């Protein structure tokens, strides 16, 4: 793997005098040096995106679809290289990195299909007297240059969820990846240029987060799409001006295990949903609510399975749980767990660090107002609580400022329908964990967790403007 990386400025590789280091979250070894974008480079990138839009808006559905399909194949072709880079820069286990790479290829594949399906509507307008012979047709037009800012935890597929729908819709795009994980997005830039995307229409600018605020304010962008933490996301929305804004933010997702749930399956899925990617997934399970009647056997299974997880070097095939992204994330987790234990909580396993790794931790007897319960932990920590009926479980799950997804294990149709109707989230997953996501489903949050939806078809709607042509055919 190369050690020096340039940034991508409107299709041109540029090296700057201000490189920064990307280091392995696992052992702090140097992964690469990357050119950092200055404000002047960002301004240049916006100019290029404006020019690039004049090219992308005129591409046919066929041309957009072909570029996306070529990119999908190239990601699949380079999947092992991408997975290794991802594992090195983010600390994701190599097995999970392969899954993400396959998903990113699929995200582009779906976008290549959706690019051909951006349809419209026929609307009869002759509903009132005097409107005889009138009808309307609607069509979605590309919005214009898009700004995407992305987080560290899915450094390829969450960039794909911004770039692929932008291309499908006919927009140009500037991406600012997370500073800790810029490499996958730079490889993606390379792939897109080779796939035939007009060069001016794509920039990938590793940069300090705070410096990127000038781009968020820039009204040459017509849409700002952000994935990251709630604090940063809502603040950036407040300075984004009149452009459209999509926010994919954090959460403290809940799983509900009802009395008739298949316990072994639910426990297995909950372990994965709580501790995959060391809990650094926006829809990672942070709270599990278990029916009183099955609480004891369920928790035993959960603890046993959690103790069986292999912790260690993310590049090793057998590793289930790798490091947190950096030292401050480990320290924050330690402090929050200590606060819970000091307030009467009990740890059934974990509650300790091993260098850059925090042990998968199960907490019980946790007051709902403690940070490990009501704030986003973003680490391998899960809180387990009990309930006596589904209405109480739903109320407990809703006792949160967040609302991304919730999972409900039940075979009771009435309980399932109540959960669907009453849970305050963007998506309810029945008989699986809230961590379930496939890339074409509508995905996004309510309350503090965000605004708008991703999932290619839905992101394309956000990235296009609906326009009406009203026809008078009898003039
Ligand atoms: P973060 O700290 O909010 O950073 C996200 C991105 O915003 C990074 O590129 C960061 O750049 C940039 N940024 C930070 N401050 C900025 C500013 N003032 N102006 C412009 N850009 C700024 O989030 P993270 O720690 O990378 O990711 C974890 C968070 O993302 C969690 O809350 C997680 O739940 C959420 N997330 C949500 C979803 C979803 O789909 N809902 C998916 C994944 C993750 P730097 O890296 O340079 O600071």
């Amino acid at each position: 793997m190369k050690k020096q990386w340039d940034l991508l400025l409107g299709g041109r590789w540029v090296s700057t005098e201000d490189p920064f280091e990307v280091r392995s979250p696992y052992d702090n070894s140097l992964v690469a040096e990357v050119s950092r974008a200055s404000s002047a480079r960002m301004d240049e990138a916006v100019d290029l995106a404006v020019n690039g839009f004049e090219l992308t808006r005129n591409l046919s559905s066929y041309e957009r679809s072909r570029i996306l399909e070529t990119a999908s194949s190239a990601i699949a072709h380079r999947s092992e290289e991408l997975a290794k880079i991802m594992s090195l820069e983010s600390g994701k286990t190599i097995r999970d990195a392969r899954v993400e790479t396959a998903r990113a290829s699929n995200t582009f594949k779906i976008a290549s299909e959706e690019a051909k399906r951006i349809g419209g509507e026929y609307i009869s307008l002759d509903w009132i007297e005097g409107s005889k012979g009138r009808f309307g047709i609607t069509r979605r037009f590309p919005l214009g240059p898009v700004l995407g800012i992305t987080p560290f935890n899915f450094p390829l597929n969450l960039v794909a969820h911004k770039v692929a729908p932008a291309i499908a819709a006919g927009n140009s795009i500037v991406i600012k990846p997370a500073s800790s994980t810029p490499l996958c997005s730079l490889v993606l830039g390379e792939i897109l240029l080779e796939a035939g995307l007009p060069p001016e229409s794509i920039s990938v600018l590793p940069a300090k987060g705070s410096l990127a605020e000038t781009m968020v304010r820039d009204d040459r962008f017509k849409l700002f799409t952000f994935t990251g933490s709630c604090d940063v996301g809502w603040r950036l929305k407040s300075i984004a001006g009149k452009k459209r804004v999509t926010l994919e933010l954090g959460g403290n997702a809940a799983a509900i295990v009802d009395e008739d749930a298949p316990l072994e399956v639910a426990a297995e899925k909950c372990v994965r949903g709580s501790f995959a990617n060391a809990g650094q997934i926006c829809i990672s399970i942070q709270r599990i609510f278990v029916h009183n009647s099955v609480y004891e056997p369920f928790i035993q299974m959960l603890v046993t399975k959690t103790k069986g997880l292999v912790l260690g070097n993310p590049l090793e095939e057998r590793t289930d749980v790798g490091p947190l992204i950096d030292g401050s994330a480990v320290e924050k987790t330690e402090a929050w767990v200590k606060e819970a234990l000091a307030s009467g909580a009990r740890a059934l396993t974990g509650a300790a660090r091993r260098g850059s790794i925090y042990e998968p931790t199960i907490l019980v007897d946790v007051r709902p107002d403690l940070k490990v319960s009501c704030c986003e932990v973003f680490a391998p920590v899960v809180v387990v609580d009990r309930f006596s009926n589904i209405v109480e479980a739903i109320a407990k799950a809703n006792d949160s400022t967040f609302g991304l997804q919730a999972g409900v294990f039940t075979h009771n149709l009435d309980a399932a329908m109540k959960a669907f109707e009453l849970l305050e989230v963007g998506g309810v997953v029945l008989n699986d964990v809230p961590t379930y996501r496939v890339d074409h489903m509508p995905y996004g949050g309510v309350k503090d967790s965000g605004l708008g939806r991703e999932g290619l078809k839905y992101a394309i709607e956000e990235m296009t403007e609906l326009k009406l042509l009203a026809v008078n055919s009898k003039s």
Side-chain angles (χ1 to χ4, degrees), residues 454-468:
E454 289 194 336
L456 286 310
K457 178 180 158 202
Y458 308 93
I460 289 168
E461 280 172 13
E462 309 269 0
M463 291 184 179
T464 48
E465 188 73 57
L466 184 78
K467 200 190 273 187
L468 169 77

Side-chain angles (χ1 to χ4, degrees), residues 246-316:
T246 306
L247 299 176
E248 299 288 341
L249 309 177
N252 63 350
I256 295 173
V257 181
D258 207 358
E259 56 192 327
D260 62 351
L263 290 192
E264 190 80 39
V265 175
E268 186 71 42
K269 284 176 180 286
C270 282
V271 167
R272 177 130 185 89
S274 304
F275 304 127
N277 204 21
Q280 300 168 114
I281 304 178
C282 48
I283 38 179
S284 189
I285 306 176
Q286 192 173 321
R287 300 170 301 148
I288 306 180
F289 300 105
V290 189
H291 193 278
N292 274 325
S293 63
V294 293
Y295 181 83
E296 293 302 339
F298 176 83
I299 208 134
Q300 264 180 26
M301 290 175 199
L302 194 73
V303 171
T304 307
K305 290 175 193 297
T306 300
K307 285 182 172 167
L309 293 171
V310 177
L311 280 49
N313 185 342
L315 283 170
E316 281 174 19

Side-chain angles (χ1 to χ4, degrees), residues 149-154 158 162 176-181 206-214 216 224 226-233 235-236 239 247-251 280-283 325 376 378 404 437 443-445 449-450 454:
I149 297 188
T150 53
F152 74 84
N153 63 330
F154 282 85
L158 291 182
K162 313 231 175 279
K176 199 230 70 80
S179 295
S180 44
T181 58
K208 270 194 190 125
S210 50
L211 213 60
E213 288 194 11
T214 51
V216 177
F224 168 47
F226 177 84
T227 303
S229 60
C230 296
D231 288 353
V232 175
R235 212 190 81 66
L236 294 181
I239 62 167
L247 299 176
E248 299 288 341
L249 309 177
Q280 300 168 114
I281 304 178
C282 48
I283 38 179
I325 189 67
E376 183 181 42
F378 221 56
L404 264 182
R437 181 180 183 188
Y443 178 77
S449 292
E454 289 194 336

Side-chain angles (χ1 to χ4, degrees), residues 343-410:
S343 308
R346 284 183 301 127
L348 302 186
T349 183
R353 76 181 282 179
R354 293 189 206 171
S356 57
I357 296 174
Y358 198 81
E359 291 180 7
T361 300
I362 300 174
L363 298 174
V364 294
D365 302 334
V366 177
R367 286 203 328 260
D369 62 321
L370 289 171
K371 291 196 200 78
V372 285
S373 181
C374 69
C375 301
E376 183 181 42
V377 180
F378 221 56
V381 176
V382 71
V383 169
V384 189
D385 189 10
R386 305 159 172 264
F387 67 87
S388 53
N389 61 63
I390 193 71
V391 174
E392 185 193 354
I394 293 168
K396 285 188 170 191
N398 283 345
D399 183 18
S400 168
T401 56
F402 305 111
L404 264 182
Q405 294 204 137
V408 184
F409 290 90
T410 185

